[in-house]
Amino acid sequence: MSKTYKLSQTKYDQLREELTWLKTTRVDEIAQLVKEARSFGDLSENSEYDEARNEQGKTYARIAELETILGNYEIVSEEVGGTDEVRIGSAVTLDYGDGFPEELKVVGSQEADPMNMLISDESPLGRALLGKHLNETVTYDTPSGTISCKIIALN
C-alpha cells in the first residue's frame, strides 16, 4: 500500500510546475552539460563530467520523487475557519505555560517547514493536534521527553 500525500492546491500546482520544468528544460540543460564535459577527453579524470553526471542523477531522482507524490495525492482544503477542530490547514496558537504563545499551521508533509512554523501532520505535534478542539490540552512525545500545551486559538 502506497502512501497518500496530502497537498494544498497551491503545493500541488507548484509540484506539477516543477516536474514539467525538470522533464523539459532541466533534462535538456543537463544533457548538454554531459555532452560538453564528455568532449573534454579522458572521462576517468574529468571532474566536469562527474559533476554533470551527478547532477543528472539528482535530477532524475527528483523527477521520480515528484512522480510518486503526484501519482498518489489528496488535495486538502485551504479554507480558513469553518471548523472547531484542528485539521490540515488549521492555524493554531499553543500555550506551553511559559508566557510565550506559539503560533503555527498544520500542513501536509510536503509543505512542512518548521523554521517558518509550518508543522507536518505526520510530526509528533501535528499528529497530537489533529482532531483536537479549542482549550484542549495536547500531550506529545519528543526526543527530550513528553510535552503538554493548551490550544488557545484556532483558525
Side-chain angles (χ1 to χ4, degrees), residues 115-126:
M115 297 303 289
N116 290 309
M117 302 310 290
L118 299 174
I119 306 301
S120 170
D121 64 321
E122 296 176 5
S123 70
L125 175 56

Side-chain angles (χ1 to χ4, degrees), residues 61-113:
R62 180 65 178 159
I63 288 171
E65 178 184 24
L66 290 173
E67 287 177 336
T68 298
I69 293 167
L70 296 173
N72 197 16
Y73 68 93
E74 174 186 338
I75 300 292
V76 293
S77 173
E78 294 179 281
E79 294 176 20
V80 177
T83 183
D84 65 344
E85 75 177 29
V86 178
R87 59 185 172 78
I88 294 178
S90 294
V92 182
T93 304
L94 303 174
D95 180 8
Y96 286 91
D98 59 2
F100 298 99
E102 183 176 89
E103 296 178 27
L104 57 88
K105 184 175 182 181
V106 180
V107 296
S109 62
Q110 293 300 307
E111 297 176 73
D113 183 0

Side-chain angles (χ1 to χ4, degrees), residues 7-55:
L7 306 171
S8 65
Q9 185 64 50
T10 303
K11 187 63 174 183
Y12 171 81
D13 294 341
Q14 289 172 348
L15 294 178
R16 290 285 319 154
E17 187 176 310
E18 180 184 357
L19 181 60
T20 300
W21 176 77
L22 286 172
K23 284 180 141 182
T24 57
T25 307
R26 188 64 181 148
V27 166
D28 292 343
E29 290 172 353
I30 292 172
Q32 185 61 36
L33 289 174
V34 170
K35 183 178 175 183
E36 286 175 21
R38 192 176 284 146
S39 72
F40 294 149
D42 185 10
L43 298 182
S44 66
E45 295 183 20
N46 187 334
S47 64
E48 289 86 359
Y49 178 75
D50 291 340
E51 175 98 14
R53 293 290 296 180
N54 285 338
E55 190 63 32

